[in-house]
Amino acid sequence: MRSTLGAPLLLLLLLAAGSDGTGAEMDRKPNFVLMMVDDLGIGDVGCYGNDTIRTPNIDRLASEGVKLTQHIAAAPLCTPSRAAFMTGRYALRSGMASAGRAQVLLFLGGSGGLPASEGTFAKRLQQQGYTTGLVGKWHLGVNCERRGDHCHHPNQHGFSYFYGLPFTLFNDCMPGEGSDVMADLQVTLRHMAIILGVGLFTLVCVRASGLLEVSLWLLVSLFLISILATAVWYVPFKLLPTWNCIIMRNQDVIEQPMTVETLPQRLLGEAQNFVRRNSDRPFLLFFSLAHVHSPLFETPAFAGKSRHGCYGDNLEEMDWIIGKLTETVDSLGLANNTLMYFTSDHGGHLEDANSRIGQSGGWNGIYKGGKAMGGWEGGIRVPGIFRWPGRLAAGTVVDEPTSLMDLYPTLKYLAKDTLPDRLLDGHNLMPLLEGSVKRSEHEFMFHYCGVYLNAVRWHPPGI
Ligand SMILES: *[C@@H]1O[C@H](CO)[C@@H](O)[C@H](O)[C@H]1NC(C)=O
Ligand SMILES: *[C@@H]1O[C@H](CO)[C@@H](O)[C@H](O)[C@H]1NC(C)=O
């Protein structure tokens, strides 16, 4: 009896020791620092051909590592692109692609978000013993049924630490910058409220002056309708900064509305602290910047310094932030055991400009189109840089098609995660990055805008 029980028990103990995240094997698991800029265009970066902007820190990552020239976002807008990035699958598969006009989450109070049943690379790494953190923008929902259930929250999707914007930075967060949410509907509702109010006022005057008979019921009904129209306009739209522009630390709202001016420094500080706190164990940090989405920052140290106005200043500030985080990784002696990744969620927002500051959206270089355009390169082709000094050869350039969805299987592979999983649309990038193969495994890539297929990229075998 004893001997028959003994063997399985020993086996169980061995298995447990192998998977509980301790021991020498764990030491060899690399750290991951994934840096995603919001709305950054491929033409905004020095090492992708822009010779008038200064991005020395990003350029340095590329010169010390691998630069991908055909790195493709799975969607041309934030929510679906980030859903695909997190899950390694097209957004259509997780229900994060929309058939309607609004293709991103617009109201934090809404019930939409990345379903709890979805797998994310953060969950997978967590299961492998990683400490996982998200600092910055999420934009994949918060609640399902009621306020506070936090079913879509980063903490439920594999990030044990979250500090940042459950929504996104957008114009409504800054007074005087206009609105990013259904501006035409807002204008219509506002006009309706004004017309009703003026009509009511006129009728009250007419009645008071005794010019005409105006029934009291008509006035009362009109009054109620005016109140309703004003509420329908005011509550969802004018209170947007309160609803949407918030900062959370894990499950708590710590700023509402948030202070935009100091956000860059605070996000950087949080990211650096996360790395410092976890320098002695395998960690995943997803640093999802508020830059370079509008409204633009006007940080004194960068204002007026670039050759491209306020937008250029924001680019150079963003590059500085990337440099600071890289410096933190390097100064802790973690460089050789840390895979650093730099990208954007999709192409630059070409049409974004205003009369006061001019350009306020990104530049996609030679590629046509931009943000919100799934069928043109400018909307989906983004910078993609990997740096890992101990493992990836410096100065490598890979021209093969790759996807942001490739991160999921790549991280799984490096974390030695061999547990069963669903079918993924991404492929492990390590063979390409290390140069052991020359061809990408992507034969077809599907370029969606919402649920609509706008284009397909074919990379025929053997060419
Ligand atoms: C460099 O980036 C800025 C900012 O987006 C842009 O205005 C400029 O046209 C770009 N220059 C080149 C040469 O691509
Ligand atoms: C990191 O790796 C590089 C290349 O293999 C090596 O030259 C360097 O000495 C390593 N640095 C440390 C701190 O181990």
Side-chain angles (χ1 to χ4, degrees):
M1 194 64 196
R2 249 177 192 211
S3 62
T4 47
L5 243 180
L9 234 162
L10 185 66
L11 187 68
L12 262 175
L13 283 174
L14 281 174
L15 280 174
S19 64
D20 75 354
T22 55
E25 197 232 353
M26 212 52 208
D27 294 338
R28 290 197 300 271
K29 285 192 177 178
N31 307 311
F32 303 111
V33 175
L34 315 179
M35 301 174 287
M36 179 179 279
V37 182
D38 201 1
D39 288 11
L40 176 73
I42 191 167
D44 282 332
V45 182
C47 62
Y48 282 92
N50 193 325
D51 51 8
T52 51
I53 198 81
R54 286 168 302 193
T55 56
N57 295 295
I58 301 167
D59 302 350
R60 185 192 131 201
L61 286 176
S63 69
E64 293 177 0
V66 183
K67 178 173 89 172
L68 306 176
T69 61
Q70 204 180 153
H71 197 43
I72 308 292
L77 282 165
C78 305
T79 300
S81 168
R82 286 161 189 263
F85 173 67
M86 290 303 310
T87 60
R89 293 148 60 89
Y90 288 108
L92 203 64
R93 295 192 194 264
S94 54
M96 297 300 281
S98 161
R101 179 186 144 189
Q103 307 212 337
V104 300
L105 296 174
L106 290 181
F107 297 95
L108 206 50
S111 60
L114 189 63
S117 55
E118 284 300 317
T120 65
F121 56 73
K123 274 188 196 167
R124 302 296 296 205
L125 293 185
Q126 212 171 31
Q127 284 163 8
Q128 295 301 313
Y130 274 75
T131 304
T132 54
L134 165 58
V135 173
K137 160 172 171 166
W138 173 241
H139 210 177
L140 292 173
V142 178
N143 298 316
C144 292
E145 303 288 336
R146 63 197 154 71
R147 176 181 167 163
D149 69 25
H150 293 178
C151 69
H152 304 304
H153 187 281
N155 286 161
Q156 306 299 330
H157 279 296
F159 292 103
S160 44
Y161 184 69
F162 171 59
Y163 175 94
L165 303 82
F167 191 63
T168 177
L169 182 64
F170 70 140
N171 281 330
D172 303 68
C173 298
M174 195 103 104
E177 291 289 330
S179 179
D180 277 336
V181 178
M182 300 176 172
D184 47 354
L185 179 65
Q186 289 196 48
V187 170
T188 310
L189 286 171
R190 190 179 66 211
H191 287 167
M192 248 173 71
I194 293 174
I195 289 169
L196 282 167
V198 170
L200 178 67
F201 179 73
T202 316
L203 287 180
V204 167
C205 292
V206 167
R207 186 184 152 103
S209 67
L211 224 63
L212 279 173
E213 280 278 303
V214 181
S215 110
L216 190 64
W217 285 116
L218 177 67
L219 291 183
V220 171
S221 322
L222 209 55
F223 175 71
L224 292 178
I225 294 172
S226 309
I227 296 280
L228 191 72
T230 309
V232 166
W233 161 59
Y234 199 88
V235 174
F237 295 113
K238 286 291 139 186
L239 295 180
L240 266 178
T242 315
W243 302 146
N244 278 2
C245 304
I246 65 175
I247 300 283
M248 291 180 90
R249 187 190 301 279
N250 293 322
Q251 312 277 316
D252 303 319
V253 176
I254 57 171
E255 268 182 53
Q256 182 175 28
M258 65 190 176
T259 313
V260 174
E261 291 72 17
T262 54
L263 193 58
Q265 295 88 321
R266 284 180 294 144
L267 291 181
L268 171 61
E270 281 286 334
Q272 289 176 309
N273 285 339
F274 181 85
V275 172
R276 290 188 193 114
R277 275 203 303 282
N278 296 296
S279 58
D280 60 350
R281 58 187 147 209
F283 66 81
L284 159 75
L285 170 64
F286 176 24
F287 183 39
S288 172
L289 285 80
H291 282 84
V292 284
H293 203 291
S294 52
L296 298 172
F297 296 101
E298 284 172 35
T299 312
F302 297 92
K305 299 284 163 63
S306 78
R307 285 172 59 181
H308 296 289
C310 191
Y311 182 77
D313 301 343
N314 274 251
L315 282 178
E316 297 191 355
E317 180 177 21
M318 177 276 294
D319 176 78
W320 176 84
I321 291 173
I322 299 297
K324 283 289 155 193
L325 188 57
T326 310
E327 222 174 274
T328 304
V329 170
D330 293 358
S331 69
L332 291 166
L334 299 174
N336 280 10
N337 196 34
T338 302
L339 177 64
M340 294 192 75
Y341 170 62
F342 175 85
T343 195
S344 170
D345 57 352
H346 48 70
H349 193 179
L350 283 188
E351 302 89 346
D352 202 2
N354 81 37
S355 50
R356 190 169 52 86
I357 58 171
Q359 178 182 7
S360 48
W363 172 245
N364 300 313
I366 60 168
Y367 302 110
K368 183 173 178 170
K371 178 176 180 176
M373 302 174 211
W376 279 330
E377 290 293 286
I380 51 177
R381 193 185 282 227
V382 293
I385 297 170
F386 286 89
R387 186 198 78 157
W388 188 357
R391 182 112 177 226
L392 302 179
T396 309
V397 177
V398 171
D399 297 320
E400 288 287 297
T402 57
S403 167
L404 268 68
M405 295 185 292
D406 295 339
L407 265 290
Y408 183 119
T410 306
L411 266 47
K412 250 176 67 176
Y413 166 78
L414 290 169
K416 304 190 174 69
D417 173 354
T418 52
L419 299 170
D421 204 348
R422 294 186 294 186
L423 176 86
L424 299 176
D425 295 309
H427 298 287
N428 173 18
L429 281 177
M430 282 312 284
L432 256 187
L433 300 180
E434 291 189 296
S436 65
V437 303
K438 289 278 165 261
R439 281 189 56 85
S440 149
E441 281 183 68
H442 289 282
E443 184 181 354
F444 292 101
M445 286 173 113
F446 300 97
H447 305 311
Y448 289 98
C449 205
V451 296
Y452 305 105
L453 188 60
N454 285 11
V456 179
R457 178 182 315 248
W458 184 32
H459 180 46
I463 296 178

